[in-house]
């Protein structure tokens, strides 16, 4: 009976922990990887620990969750809707559960009906597709997927693949269009426009059944794809590659398959950081996409353009030399646009500028998916080079330029290898230097841009983040604040000093905070008296396809972070209040205390996230199972920054099969000047003879009571005693006992170590470094030579 009661009690305690929501939910991918605009679609979100899913966060407007229809640990099935006005292209999503929020994953909203992939039976031909549809699937290694489509003479036929852009892995597709005789009419592997993804486009020369051939480029596996097939246009570039915000712009789409065509659009007023599809380089909220449309059919992917406040200037041929460059009448700032149309081509522009004006002169080409690798030169009016650049702006050219004098100047653009073509478009912006600010969360480990990038705070608990600031063209301290956060969460953050670019901040949830969450923002704002109005929010990258040291192949960016309140966790951690300072060349113990709920007895790992300059400590330490506290020992070097810092510790433990994260409170750590500085007067003695070392003392930081001082680094064979001192002590004299066999020589490693109890903390400090003690060997006794008979002279015999 006692044994049964024991087991019942143990099961009850285990239930206290296991009944909590499953923490750390994971999301691997969405299936299918997209839906048609204006429709509702059932989507499966596959991952781990999803049984208590309650919501799906979408980063862009136009997509919403209709309902969750089924859920378990491994997946949820949900109906999502893309409104009729939903932007086409890449969208981002996360699943929120009662125990956390998943990684960010991407999916696409397209213009076409979805068609289910059907594997043909043996002897059957390829699956027949209607024009202007999307089919999703995968290709096994050493296999090929084929689809057939009826096309009339003169019709355009295009096939576009989304594969690496789905963000699931390093997929490298190949697509071809074949006629009924097996001849390839168009094919593609990698493309500048879509990186590893590809497209093929052609105009049918006769009525025929065309076959779309899709495989991995080296006949490996293609884990996932969305294939668009239809009569949509697929231009490789757009010109000009940008426009002035709020103005109507007519652009030319460069379509090498069916011929160029024009389209008008109004460049919108940029309001938020919102990129419609991922890219390798850090995008700007002014990087947008224009979706080409021909004969009422819109392309599934857009061509990138820039939107800026500067008026456009287009190149006027001929402009292949400095002498042919036409003078632009409009003053700077401007946006220059052109195309390097043939091999060996170069474009020259002539403009005027005022002395002392400072500009960031940036090329936008590769960032807009143009194949050109630009080289840019700023020259005087006669073409003499003043500044040049190839790739300082990433793959595009960039020059920080201050106008040396009033007058005319010229600018040259060419391709680095002398290449050219009808889609070698570029855009050069003369951007006045203005203050810019954005924030992001630092990676928690190498090759991981997903873990701990959001605020996931349990009821009655805390959660830390390390925030990094990108400042440009200004300096000063930043005040941090939240925007659109759910109720019940409080931010604890010190101002970010002007000489700091990162710091730890802590979020705390009230015990009764509602379970739920949203997408919010973390804002930074320049603070101080009579300062400019400079602010900025989150601008975060997520590396979706990464291959270790080989680099990142596909990434996306967002301007919000997920903020959620989750079920209560079975543990908390806190720092015991620090009442003593950490002084230069000193140590200070810091106690971290765990508060465990009944039934939770797991190991808790504790780590310091950021360290003030000059401070060192263990990278992490464990509170073992069954224990409730550990001691972190901090030490400061002689150059530690004297300041009151705000620190916090991250606590990590395994809960319900996942990893739970908590934080200590944000705690003040005061780094102060030395308690005492000392200078040891050199001493010299001989083996077997005592001596003394005198230490002159100067107080720098006040301390209570008495400190014990000991000499450290004495050579073997010597000894001394410990002494006491107060903050008012001016000198100490240590008696040194020197044995007959004490180690002889010049010893320069002697220093003092003081130890005291300061407000309940045992703190130490070293002082008087590189004190010297010389121990000589005693001189040898003089040798006495015994006289010989000869040396005493001749002996005279007695008579």
């Amino acid at each position: 009976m006692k044994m049964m009661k024991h087991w019942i009690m143990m099961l009850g305690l285990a239930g206290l922990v296991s009944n909590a929501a499953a923490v750390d939910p994971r999301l691997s991918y969405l299936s299918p990887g997209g839906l048609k605009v204006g429709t509702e679609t059932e989507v499966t979100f596959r991952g781990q620990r999803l049984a208590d899913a309650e919501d799906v966060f979408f980063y862009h407007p136009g997509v919403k969750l209709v309902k969750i229809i089924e859920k378990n640990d491994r997946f949820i099935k949900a109906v999502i809707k893309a409104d009729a006005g939903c932007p086409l292209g890449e969208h981002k999503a996360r699943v929120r559960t009662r125990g956390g929020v998943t990684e960010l994953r991407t999916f696409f909203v397209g213009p076409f009906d979805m068609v289910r992939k059907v594997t043909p039976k043996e002897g059957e031909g390829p699956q027949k597709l209607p024009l202007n549809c999307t089919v999703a699937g995968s290709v096994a290694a050493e296999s090929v997927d084929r689809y057939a489509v009826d096309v009339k003479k003169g019709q355009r036929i295009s096939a576009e693949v989304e594969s690496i852009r789905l963000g699931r892995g390093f997929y490298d597709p190949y697509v071809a269009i074949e006629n009924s005789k097996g001849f390839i009419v168009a094919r593609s592997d990698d493309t500048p426009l879509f990186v590893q993804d590809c497209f093929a486009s052609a105009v049918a020369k006769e009525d025929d059944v065309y076959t779309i051939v899709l495989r991995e480029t080296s006949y490996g596996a293609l884990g996932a794809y969305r294939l668009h097939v239809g009569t949509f246009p697929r231009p490789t570039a757009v010109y000009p590659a940008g426009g002035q915000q709020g103005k109507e712009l007519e652009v030319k789409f460069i379509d090498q398959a069916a011929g160029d065509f024009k389209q008008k659009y109004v460049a919108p007023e940029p309001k938020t950081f919102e990129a419609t599809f991922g890219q390798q380089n850090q995008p700007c909220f002014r990087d947008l996409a224009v979706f080409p449309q021909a004969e009422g059919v819109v392309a599934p992917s857009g061509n990138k353009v820039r939107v800026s406040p500067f008026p456009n200037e287009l190149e006027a041929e001929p402009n292949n030399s400095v002498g042919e460059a036409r003078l632009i009448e409009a003053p700077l700032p401007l946006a220059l646009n052109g195309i390097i149309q043939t091999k060996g081509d170069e474009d020259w522009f002539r403009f005027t500028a005022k002395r002392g004006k400072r500009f960031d002169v940036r090329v936008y080409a590769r960032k807009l998916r143009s194949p050109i690798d630009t080289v840019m030169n700023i020259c005087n009016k006669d073409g003499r080079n003043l500044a040049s650049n190839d790739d300082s702006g990433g793959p595009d050219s960039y020059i920080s330029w201050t106008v040396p004098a009033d007058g005319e100047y010229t600018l040259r653009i060419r391709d680095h290898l002398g290449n050219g073509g009808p889609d070698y478009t570029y855009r050069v912006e003369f951007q006045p230097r203005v203050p810019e600010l954005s924030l992001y969360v630092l990676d928690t480990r190498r090759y991981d841009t997903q873990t701990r990038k959001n605020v996931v705070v349990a009821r009655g608990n805390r959660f830390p983040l390390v925030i990094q600031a990108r400042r440009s063209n200004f300096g000063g301290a930043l005040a941090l604040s939240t925007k659109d956060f759910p109720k019940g969460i409080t931010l604890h953050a010190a101002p970010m000093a002007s000489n700091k670019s990162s710091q730890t901040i802590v979020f705390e949830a009230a015990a009764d905070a509602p379970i739920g969450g949203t997408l919010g923002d973390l804002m930074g704002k320049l603070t101080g008296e009579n300062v400019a109005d400079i602010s900025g929010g989150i601008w975060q990258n997520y590396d979706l396809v990464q291959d270790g040291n080989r680099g990142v192949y596909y990434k996306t960016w967002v301007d919000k972070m997920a903020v959620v309140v989750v079920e209560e966790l079975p543990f908390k951690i806190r720092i015991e209040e620090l009442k003593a300072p950490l002084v230069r060349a000193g140590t200070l113990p810091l106690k971290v205390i765990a508060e465990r709920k009944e039934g939770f007895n797991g190991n808790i790992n504790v780590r310091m996230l950021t360290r003030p300059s000059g401070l060192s400590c263990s990278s992490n330490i464990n509170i073992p199972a069954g224990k409730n506290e550990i001691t972190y020992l901090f030490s400061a070097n002689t150059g530690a920054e004297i300041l009151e810092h705000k620190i916090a510790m991250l606590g990590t433990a395994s809960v319900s099969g996942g990893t739970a994260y908590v934080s200590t409170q944000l705690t003040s750590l005061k780094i102060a000047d030395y308690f005492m500085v000392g200078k040891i007067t050199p001493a010299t003695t001989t083996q077997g003879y005592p001596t003394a070392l005198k230490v002159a003392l100067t107080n720098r930081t006040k301390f209570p009571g008495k400190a014990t001082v000991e000499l450290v680094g004495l050579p073997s064979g010597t000894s001394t005693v410990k002494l006491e001192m107060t903050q008012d002590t001016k000198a100490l004299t240590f008696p040194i006992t020197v044995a007959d066999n004490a180690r002889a020589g010049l010893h320069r490693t002697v220093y003092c170590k003081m130890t005291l109890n300061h407000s309940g903390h045992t703190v130490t400090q070293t002082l008087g470094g590189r004190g010297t003690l010389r121990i000589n060997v005693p001189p040898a006794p003089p040798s006495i030579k015994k006289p010989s008979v000869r040396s005493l002279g001749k002996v005279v015999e007695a008579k």
Side-chain angles (χ1 to χ4, degrees):
M1 181 64 70
K2 288 184 179 180
M3 182 63 72
M4 182 173 291
K5 288 182 178 179
H6 172 77
W7 278 108
I8 291 174
M9 181 183 69
M10 293 299 291
L11 289 171
L13 291 177
L16 291 175
V17 177
S18 62
N19 285 344
V23 303
D24 194 24
R26 297 297 179 90
L27 179 61
S28 300
Y29 62 90
L30 287 68
S31 178
L35 69 159
K36 181 184 178 182
V37 65
T39 66
E40 293 184 3
T41 301
E42 182 180 303
V43 177
T44 300
F45 297 75
R46 296 197 177 273
Q48 301 175 45
R49 297 183 287 278
L50 298 173
D52 56 354
E54 292 188 336
D55 199 359
V56 179
F57 294 158
F58 298 105
Y59 279 77
H60 298 308
V63 184
K64 60 185 178 183
L65 173 69
V66 177
K67 60 182 177 179
I68 296 175
I69 55 180
E70 184 181 353
K71 56 186 177 180
N72 59 37
D73 275 351
R74 295 294 180 180
F75 67 84
I76 70 167
K77 288 184 178 180
V79 177
I80 63 176
K81 180 179 180 180
D83 294 335
C86 176
L88 299 178
E90 179 188 272
H91 288 254
K92 296 98 177 175
R94 296 181 187 272
V95 176
R96 181 189 65 78
T97 71
R98 293 186 67 83
V101 66
T102 67
E103 301 95 330
L104 178 147
R105 298 302 179 197
T106 57
F107 66 98
F108 281 75
V109 172
F112 305 135
D113 288 328
M114 299 285 295
V115 174
R116 186 172 63 90
K117 177 184 175 180
V118 178
T119 302
K121 296 179 181 179
E122 187 176 351
E124 291 183 346
Q127 179 181 353
K128 203 72 171 288
L129 297 178
L131 287 172
N132 300 319
C133 73
T134 300
V135 60
S138 61
V139 182
E142 299 184 2
S143 296
V144 178
D145 279 2
R146 290 181 169 86
Y147 299 95
V149 60
D150 289 324
V151 183
K152 299 295 185 181
K153 180 180 179 180
Q155 266 190 320
R156 183 200 316 260
I157 176 171
S158 298
E160 180 187 320
V161 183
E162 294 159 3
S163 187
I164 195 171
R165 288 179 289 167
L166 297 177
R168 299 191 196 176
F170 181 74
Y171 303 144
D172 191 2
Y174 163 92
V175 68
I177 301 173
E178 298 178 352
N179 63 18
S180 58
K181 299 177 182 178
F183 291 104
I184 296 174
V185 297
R187 63 181 175 183
S188 173
D189 185 358
D190 300 339
T191 60
L193 189 60
F194 300 134
V195 198
Q196 266 74 23
D197 284 347
C198 51
F199 62 85
S201 188
V203 174
K205 294 183 178 180
E206 57 186 347
D207 294 355
D208 202 352
V209 177
Y210 288 82
T211 301
I212 311 300
V213 179
L214 176 61
R215 60 173 172 82
E216 201 274 336
T217 187
S218 299
Y219 289 92
L222 205 60
Y225 68 78
R226 276 169 42 92
L227 172 65
H228 309 284
V229 179
T231 60
F232 57 87
R234 186 58 279 160
T236 57
V238 58
Y239 179 76
Q244 187 174 9
Q245 61 194 41
K247 304 287 187 180
E248 185 179 68
L249 180 68
E250 183 176 72
V251 297
K252 178 177 69 173
F253 284 104
I254 299 167
D255 188 340
Q256 299 183 56
D260 301 346
F261 61 96
K262 294 183 178 181
Q263 185 173 317
K264 292 183 179 180
Y265 80 102
V266 176
E269 186 85 23
K271 294 181 179 179
T272 61
F273 289 114
E274 195 169 290
T276 54
F277 50 86
Q279 52 193 3
Q280 288 300 92
N281 314 106
Q282 179 179 329
C284 172
F285 66 102
R286 298 183 181 279
D287 299 346
L288 303 175
V290 177
F291 286 78
Q293 183 173 341
E295 298 178 356
V297 182
V298 65
S301 298
N303 291 77
K304 290 194 65 180
V305 295
R306 282 274 299 173
V307 176
S308 64
F310 319 123
N312 263 4
E313 285 290 337
L314 308 185
E315 68 164 320
E317 295 283 359
N319 64 339
N320 299 330
S321 66
V322 64
E324 294 176 322
R326 175 182 59 85
L327 177 64
I328 299 170
E329 299 294 338
L332 298 181
L334 292 170
L336 312 178
N337 299 268
I339 306 174
I340 300 299
Q341 299 191 30
T342 59
K343 285 188 175 183
D345 186 18
E346 56 184 48
D347 289 346
W348 286 82
F349 299 86
R350 187 178 298 274
F351 59 94
T352 59
K354 297 290 186 180
R355 181 179 183 274
K357 293 288 186 180
R358 302 176 67 191
F359 296 97
D360 289 330
V361 187
R362 297 184 184 275
V363 172
Y364 293 89
R366 287 287 182 92
K367 289 180 180 178
L368 302 181
R369 305 287 175 83
S370 171
I372 186 174
D373 182 6
T374 59
V375 177
M376 175 171 61
N377 301 81
I378 297 177
C379 307
N380 68 5
K381 65 178 182 178
D382 300 319
R384 181 172 61 84
N385 185 63
L386 301 177
S388 63
N389 178 260
D390 183 4
D391 292 331
S392 282
D396 290 331
S397 303
Y398 162 76
I399 296 174
S400 176
W401 186 53
T402 301
V403 182
D406 291 357
E408 285 187 11
Y409 295 89
T410 55
L411 181 142
R412 180 180 73 161
I413 293 289
R414 63 182 178 87
D415 181 77
H416 178 71
L417 298 178
N419 292 323
D423 52 2
Y424 276 55
T425 58
Y426 63 86
R427 177 179 175 87
V428 183
E429 291 185 0
F430 283 80
Q431 302 169 350
R433 290 189 176 177
V434 296
E436 293 181 343
L437 171 65
S438 63
L439 307 176
Y440 65 101
V441 183
L442 283 175
D443 293 348
T444 59
R445 58 188 175 185
R446 196 176 186 188
Y447 308 138
D448 181 0
T449 62
Q450 296 270 10
T451 302
R452 294 204 324 270
K453 291 296 183 73
N454 303 283
V455 179
V456 182
V457 56
R459 280 177 161 178
N461 221 315
R462 293 174 289 261
F463 182 85
L465 284 180
V466 180
I467 288 294
Q468 184 91 7
R470 301 184 190 94
R471 293 182 180 94
S472 178
N473 301 319
F474 78 98
L478 302 176
L480 300 176
S481 62
T482 60
K483 181 181 178 181
D484 299 328
F485 268 45
K487 293 180 179 180
I489 295 181
T490 302
L491 168 65
H492 302 284
M496 186 182 292
S498 59
N499 64 336
K500 303 292 183 185
S501 59
S502 66
Q503 72 178 43
T504 300
I505 61 177
V506 173
F507 300 89
E508 185 169 8
D512 60 350
I515 302 295
T518 186
L519 295 176
D521 201 355
L522 185 67
M523 303 296 296
K525 182 177 177 62
L526 181 64
T527 183
E529 294 184 2
N530 301 318
V531 297
D533 184 13
I534 302 171
S535 62
I538 287 292
W539 193 219
Q540 186 78 47
N541 70 290
Y542 288 92
D543 300 344
L544 300 179
V545 181
Q546 146 119 51
D547 188 15
N549 289 332
R550 295 181 180 179
V552 178
Y553 291 93
Y554 191 73
K555 66 174 66 174
T556 195
W557 299 76
V558 296
D559 64 339
K560 299 179 182 68
M561 59 173 26
V563 186
V564 299
V565 177
V566 299
E567 294 277 13
E568 189 176 0
L569 291 172
F571 72 102
K572 297 171 65 174
I573 60 173
R574 62 181 173 87
I575 296 174
E576 186 178 68
E577 183 183 359
L578 291 172
K579 299 179 181 179
L582 172 61
V583 296
R584 285 178 167 176
T587 65
L588 174 69
L590 178 145
K591 187 179 290 186
V592 181
I593 300 170
E595 300 174 9
R596 300 176 183 268
K597 278 195 164 188
E598 188 177 11
F600 178 74
N601 196 36
N603 179 78
I604 303 172
N605 182 265
V606 179
R607 70 173 58 239
M608 185 86 167
L609 292 177
T610 55
R611 303 175 188 173
S613 175
L615 182 145
S616 61
C617 62
S618 300
S619 60
N620 66 87
I621 194 168
N622 288 322
I623 302 178
K627 302 294 183 182
N628 292 325
E629 62 181 49
I630 51 97
T631 298
Y632 243 101
L633 186 65
F634 286 174
S635 62
N637 63 29
T638 57
E641 184 180 15
I642 297 175
L643 197 67
E644 184 170 314
H645 301 269
K646 296 292 186 180
I647 63 169
M649 300 283 191
L650 170 73
T652 307
S654 179
V655 176
S656 302
T659 302
Y661 302 100
V662 301
S663 175
T664 65
Q665 76 277 26
L666 201 61
T667 301
S668 293
L669 170 64
K670 183 180 180 181
I671 297 182
D673 203 356
Y674 307 95
F675 287 129
M676 305 289 283
V677 293
K679 183 176 182 181
I680 300 176
T681 302
T684 302
T685 188
T686 301
Q687 288 174 330
Y689 290 84
T691 187
L693 279 175
K694 297 181 179 180
V695 186
L697 299 169
T698 303
N699 177 248
R700 293 275 186 90
T701 297
K702 302 298 182 183
F703 61 89
K706 293 182 179 181
T708 300
V709 186
E710 59 182 308
L711 274 180
V712 182
L714 288 172
S716 60
T718 63
S719 62
T720 186
V721 296
K722 294 181 180 180
L723 302 178
E724 289 186 339
M725 70 174 180
T726 69
Q727 64 186 24
D728 299 319
T729 302
K730 302 300 181 185
L732 293 173
T733 301
F734 288 90
I736 310 295
T737 300
V738 182
D740 292 343
N741 61 347
R743 185 179 177 187
L746 180 62
H747 306 283
R748 297 176 175 172
T749 59
V750 182
Y751 64 93
C752 297
K753 178 182 178 182
M754 62 179 288
T755 304
L756 73 149
N757 186 302
H758 191 309
S759 306
H761 302 280
T762 300
V763 299
T764 70
Q765 185 215 309
T766 61
L767 61 151
R770 294 191 64 82
T772 60
L773 173 64
R774 178 183 289 278
I775 301 177
N776 295 321
V777 176
S783 59
I784 302 175
K785 190 176 183 181
K786 296 181 179 181
S788 63
V789 175
R790 289 182 180 177
S791 65
L792 297 177
K794 186 177 181 181
V795 179
V796 179
E797 296 181 358
K799 293 183 178 180

